[in-house]
Amino acid sequence: MRQLLVVLILFSLVSALMSTKASAANNIEGVRVWPAPENTRVVFDLKQKPDFSYFTLSNPQRLVIDFKNSKNAVDLKKLASTDKRIKRIRTSKAKTKSGIRLVLELAESFQLTIFPLAPAGQYGDRLVIDLYDKNRVTQVANIPTNTKRDVIIAIDAGHGGEDPGSIGGKGSYEKRVTLAIAKKLHNIINKEKGMKAILTRKGDYYVNLDRRTQIARRNRVDFFVSIHADAFRTRKPNGAAVWVISNKRVESEMARWLINREKNSELLGGGGGVIKNTADDNLAITLADMNKEHSLEVSVNTANNIIKQLKKITKLHNKTPQHGNFAVLKSSDIPSIMVETGFISNYQDERNLNSTKHQQKIAQAIHNGLHKYFIEQPPMGTYFASISYQKHKVSSGESLSILAQRYKISIAQLKSLNNLKSNTVRIGQTLKIPSAG
Ligand SMILES: [Zn+2]
């Protein structure tokens, strides 16, 4: 009882101290503007939790924010706005003497979300404003209606914009590495006959996790691959890993730690699901259970293929697919994997992840794994499903490159199709060759 009393006294002391602190002036210490295809995010860095109110005005469109008991330390004029949604950010006469009023002059009227964010990662208290275009249209890739459609792969570069993801010991940002690898993979896939790739983000901005899967669904993708880089609290762990969704409880400490990190990261950039997409996703959710088992099987098989490819070019953190409950993998109607390309918290991995050459190798490895799966198990109606094969018995003087030339396919394809580990073939060996038509 006495202990409880002591605790209570301490508690009231601490809260008294905290409330004195809270009454001190807040300060706007920084402003960041993140333009994205469908929205612009404005983030105010604050000394402490904001006490604010806001309203909008039209003709011309404006968003007015009143910060109570605050100062502004940012030169708003220097916010050279290259953003198409915000024309200017300026101050105006405040409601009270101790407050500050900011006016965002807008290009038109937007769907508005405004919310404070608690300190996380390298950031302190923030106020986040999202201006969404009123007519958000997902760009849908042109899918020809003939019977030989492409296998469509969604490539998801983890994090972005306000959410840097993990930060390496030498200061590299996960969000940059993931985008670089995603873009390289996008290029490789789009050069492959019978495959097509779409990116869930193309630049340095944050895309809400629901939105990422929505983009994938609207494009009717066959597969979803999310690209990340790991980090741990110590420098030692290294290597790549591939994750698939799990229905079981996550057991290893490492897995729990990583999952929490990704969750925090989502909060950091996404505002904790303030924006929810509804309506047309309901059907997809109903269908999800039916497809769950099939899609997990596809995910695991592809993950295994990709691990085999990654093994040739990088250390592996895990030799088998890992199971975890990452939000980005929750869309169980679409086969999905998450490739952790290495540990950005490990110096050697960090150096590799920043090398263009290594990024290209990782992208190629992911592509090879995907290609192998889809050429062996092509979805109905795809070009891959329409390919028929002939057999070729290797005779003396024939090499892979001669055969590749003769049958007009790449050596890589020939190898992948026949599970060849090297470039040498034996006389008398039978090879599978795609035949035209
Ligand atoms: Zn990540």
Side-chain angles (χ1 to χ4, degrees), residues 155-161 163-167 172-186 198-207 212 225-231 261-262 265 328 338-344 350 352-355 359-360 362-363 366:
I155 308 168
D156 177 55
H159 314 279
D163 168 16
S166 300
I167 298 172
S172 23
Y173 285 2
E174 181 186 351
K175 66 172 182 180
R176 298 214 179 104
V177 170
T178 62
L179 186 63
I181 296 171
K183 282 184 169 171
K184 289 182 169 68
L185 178 57
H186 182 255
I198 58 141
L199 290 162
T200 58
R201 79 169 167 101
K202 293 173 183 161
D204 189 14
Y205 49 84
Y206 188 79
V207 180
R212 292 177 195 241
V225 50
S226 190
I227 297 177
H228 286 257
D230 258 333
R261 182 176 56 78
E262 287 299 331
S265 191
V328 75
M338 182 161 89
V339 181
E340 293 278 12
T341 50
F343 276 76
I344 209 165
E350 184 182 13
N352 287 343
L353 289 172
N354 279 303
S355 130
Q359 291 169 351
Q360 185 70 28
I362 290 177
I366 297 172

Side-chain angles (χ1 to χ4, degrees), residues 302-325:
T302 317
N304 272 316
N305 282 354
I306 291 174
I307 289 171
K308 269 185 207 146
Q309 295 291 325
L310 285 171
K311 200 179 159 188
K312 300 176 188 170
I313 56 137
T314 180
K315 282 191 176 158
L316 291 179
H317 190 72
N318 302 99
K319 291 187 178 68
T320 54
Q322 302 298 293
H323 294 260
N325 281 309

Side-chain angles (χ1 to χ4, degrees), residues 376-390:
E376 284 171 356
Q377 314 278 339
M380 257 179 9
T382 57
Y383 166 75
F384 283 167
S386 79
I387 305 176
S388 53
Y389 296 95
Q390 50 179 317

